[in-house]
Amino acid sequence: MHVTIGVLAHVDAGKTTFSEQLLFHTNSIQARGRVDHQDTFLDNHELERQRGITIFAEQGRMTLGDDTYTLIDTPGHVDFSPEMERAIRVMDYAIIIVSAVEGLQGQTETVWQLLRQYHVPTFFFINKIDREGADVEAVLTQLQQYCSTDVLFVDEPLRSDYVSNAMMEWLAERDEQLLDAFLNDTLESSSCMAHIQTLIKQEKAFLCFSGSALKDIGIKEFISQLPLLTETHFNNEVPFQGEVFKIRHDGHQRLTFIKALQGTLHVRDEFSFGDVTEKVTEIRLYNGSRYETAQEVKAGEIFAVKGISEANIGDIIGHSRNPQPYELVPTLQAKVQYEGDQHIKEVLKIFRTLEAEEPSLRVLWHEKFQEIHVHIMGVIQLEVLIEVLRERFSLDISFSEPQILYLETIATTVTGYGHFEPLKHYAEVHLLMEPNTRGTGNTFVNACHADDLSVGHQRLIEKHLFEREHHGLLTGFPVTDIRFTLLTGRAHIKHTEGGDFREATVRALRQGLEQAENVLLEPYYRFKLKAPSDFIGRMMTDIQQAAGKFDAPNLTENEAILTGRAPVATFMSYSTTFAAYTNGKGVLSLQFDGYDVCHNTEAIIAKIGYDKNADPEYTSSSIFCAKGKGYAVPWDQAEAAMHCID
């Protein structure tokens, strides 16, 4: 049996130390490293050892009986949470580490919500019980209150032939048949174990353990119970499918990390990516930075391959379905500042390499200004990028002050018209543009008849709508949440060329925006503030001043909890203020909550100073031809000049 199990936590909860202990006690490593000694097995990058934090999700392999476990140690810092989310998508089970001293923290709740969204069965391990101030009972109460009432503390180690009376009683409360057997003293441990396995898989039971990773307390007991509580079922008798979750480079050679979802993969197997066919030339099974090669891998395994360069993170190899979008997305953007000897286009190639490894960077190239922009989660990520570029590529780079990533959308329904007809070129596009539900993104519907426009040209129009982000009129930031419907179009049997429909499509989009009511959107946080009840007044005032909204406060004798939404722009630095006035007793949890109407639209538009008529990549005018010469028709006259009739 192959099982992938991830370890997740808020930063400094002891996650990496816990992982070291698991690997050591399963004989995967010969000695346990320590974060403060900079010699941990999975934090093998120099940057991680210097900073004492996990930056990259790395995997180790361990064997328990006849089963092989892949252990993934994930970043705990919020700036590297996209790396953590990608690892979650390939986990069969997860372990959340919670400090017995600090208790439930902001990133812990983010991790918990992601695991529930991806339906990963989860265990808890309350760590650092040897530390002064440790309170296992208080942390357990937090988990049951804020995560799930189905969190069950395991007070005695489970065995195949032994389940504690407390667990029997807990199970009996949730199942009538087990209750009858419990009351009649006929409930057997084997029945309980089968039932608890089912509840764990169904996310109806979240077992909680305790110990100290640093002092090696409770670790061996936890390991002994893993085979009883985890099980996977994969099908090796079907064609291979695997999810790409990580890309790294070994020198100039690309390594594509995959979780096998079904079937068997062999060296020399071939896969097609559009018009390109690639062959697997090597399979590697990694344990930390070490690896061994294999001729084949089966469903359930985590591995890396060489020879596959067209697959991107999130792709399902062997399946044509589109990748599922990720939840954690950057809300900041920074400009690359470089004054070295290399040409800026060479620097861009390097950033494209980093983008393949970290797709949330979403590297943007501005041709007119010869500028590179990247999307980021926070300033710590920028600091790490600077060090990575210096270490791997000998580039000295700096970044501008990070700016909020805005988006634009429309609030009214319009039809956009685009015509491109300079001499010996011809294309016309009519697009119905309607507001989409917030957060849906841009979508496409084809209502064009093949008698008006060939299927090939219809597909070209759809391709051009989605091949890149398109600038809005207010700030030049990308447009989103628009439902495009292709109504009709026209081509010329002789003069239409491939790029003509790109020109006509973007002109139709832009002409539609000129007619529409445009709306500026900004990113929002969903927040939860927990602090002593004395601070409730300050908390509410701060949220109002930050243009946020909050739900009815949840007040107890000693604690106040406030939840709501606030713009990222006004709230992204609030954690420092909150920690200061609560004397470190407050807990702030922030989760990206999508985009909504900007709270200070006019100020942002004025600050950015985007000139819609001076954008070198876009124009709202259409081009028509008369007497052998092309001429421009302004957007407000374009509809009357069109050749097609809707």
Side-chain angles (χ1 to χ4, degrees), residues 244 254 256 258 270-280 307-312 315-319:
V244 178
R254 171 170 150 153
T256 303
I258 302 170
E270 294 184 346
F271 296 94
S272 295
F273 304 92
D275 298 331
V276 179
T277 298
E278 296 187 313
K279 182 185 298 183
V280 174
I308 302 294
S309 61
E310 293 294 319
N312 298 313
D315 287 351
I316 306 295
I317 293 180
H319 198 287

Side-chain angles (χ1 to χ4, degrees), residues 183-257:
L183 294 175
N184 294 319
D185 291 326
T186 58
L187 183 57
E188 298 180 351
S189 293
S190 58
S191 299
C192 289
M193 284 305 306
H195 201 68
I196 197 69
Q197 282 182 348
T198 301
L199 291 179
I200 291 170
K201 290 287 285 185
Q202 294 176 346
E203 300 174 79
K204 295 179 180 178
F206 305 96
L207 271 56
C208 180
F209 306 84
S210 65
S212 169
L214 187 62
K215 296 296 180 64
D216 200 8
I217 300 171
I219 305 297
K220 286 185 283 189
E221 291 80 0
F222 176 80
I223 292 172
S224 69
Q225 297 169 85
L226 265 184
L228 300 175
L229 302 173
T230 57
E231 61 175 356
T232 58
H233 301 283
F234 294 100
N235 188 352
N236 292 312
E237 307 304 321
V238 292
F240 175 82
Q241 287 183 15
E243 178 167 353
V244 178
F245 74 98
K246 184 168 66 173
I247 290 171
R248 293 289 184 265
H249 288 82
D250 183 6
H252 295 292
Q253 295 182 319
R254 171 170 150 153
L255 296 172
T256 303
F257 286 78

Side-chain angles (χ1 to χ4, degrees), residues 73 85 121 199 217-218 227 288 316 342 349 521 539 594 605 614 625:
D73 182 25
E85 182 183 3
L199 291 179
I217 300 171
I316 306 295
Q342 289 199 49
K349 289 181 181 179
L521 304 176
M539 292 155 63
I605 291 175
C625 188

Side-chain angles (χ1 to χ4, degrees), residues 346-488:
E346 293 299 318
V347 177
L348 177 61
K349 289 181 181 179
I350 291 172
F351 272 89
R352 293 295 184 204
T353 298
L354 294 179
E355 182 183 32
E357 299 176 358
E358 179 49 76
S360 68
L361 284 176
R362 295 177 66 186
V363 176
L364 300 175
W365 168 248
H366 295 276
E367 182 70 38
K368 178 183 178 182
F369 303 106
Q370 297 284 290
E371 289 179 353
I372 302 168
H373 292 245
V374 294
H375 293 190
I376 57 165
M377 298 293 291
V379 294
I380 302 298
Q381 185 183 8
L382 281 186
E383 293 174 6
V384 169
L385 272 173
I386 290 170
E387 295 178 46
V388 167
L389 287 160
R390 183 183 298 120
E391 178 187 298
R392 283 180 58 184
F393 304 103
S394 300
L395 277 180
D396 286 322
I397 292 284
S398 62
F399 293 92
S400 66
E401 186 75 18
Q403 304 294 320
I404 293 293
L405 274 169
Y406 294 92
L407 295 174
E408 297 186 31
T409 191
I410 59 175
T412 52
T413 298
V414 295
T415 300
Y417 300 93
H419 189 94
F420 185 67
E421 191 190 356
L423 187 62
K424 296 185 178 180
H425 293 269
Y426 190 97
E428 183 168 303
V429 174
H430 296 202
L431 285 176
L432 178 67
M433 298 164 58
E434 304 168 278
N436 245 342
T437 304
R438 187 82 73 240
T440 305
N442 296 328
T443 57
F444 180 80
V445 176
N446 192 349
C448 181
H449 198 281
D451 289 346
D452 298 326
L453 201 60
S454 71
V455 173
H457 286 140
Q458 293 174 24
R459 289 174 177 168
L460 266 181
I461 294 168
E462 180 180 6
K463 174 188 174 184
H464 296 322
L465 281 173
F466 293 96
E467 65 188 357
R468 63 173 179 175
E469 295 176 332
H470 298 287
H471 300 174
L473 299 186
L474 303 177
T475 60
F477 276 96
V479 294
T480 188
D481 296 342
I482 300 176
R483 184 178 190 260
F484 295 101
T485 301
L486 175 59
L487 299 176
T488 189

Side-chain angles (χ1 to χ4, degrees), residues 109-213:
E109 296 194 40
T110 299
V111 166
W112 169 257
Q113 295 299 331
L114 273 177
L115 290 170
R116 302 288 59 77
Q117 180 167 337
Y118 288 113
H119 299 293
V120 181
T122 304
F123 304 105
F124 289 97
F125 188 90
I126 301 176
N127 192 28
K128 303 184 180 182
I129 64 170
D130 58 307
R131 292 269 301 275
E132 183 178 350
D135 191 338
V136 174
E137 286 295 326
V139 175
L140 180 62
T141 300
Q142 288 181 335
L143 295 176
Q144 293 170 335
Q145 182 177 358
Y146 300 120
C147 293
S148 173
T149 56
D150 293 322
V151 174
L152 171 63
F153 187 71
V154 179
D155 54 350
E156 298 180 55
L158 302 169
R159 302 194 306 268
S160 58
D161 60 348
Y162 175 75
V163 172
S164 70
N165 193 67
M167 180 172 284
M168 284 188 174
E169 186 174 345
W170 188 87
L171 291 170
E173 291 173 353
R174 287 158 171 77
D175 187 278
E176 290 187 8
Q177 290 184 336
L178 295 182
L179 179 60
D180 289 340
F182 180 76
L183 294 175
N184 294 319
D185 291 326
T186 58
L187 183 57
E188 298 180 351
S189 293
S190 58
S191 299
C192 289
M193 284 305 306
H195 201 68
I196 197 69
Q197 282 182 348
T198 301
L199 291 179
I200 291 170
K201 290 287 285 185
Q202 294 176 346
E203 300 174 79
K204 295 179 180 178
F206 305 96
L207 271 56
C208 180
F209 306 84
S210 65
S212 169

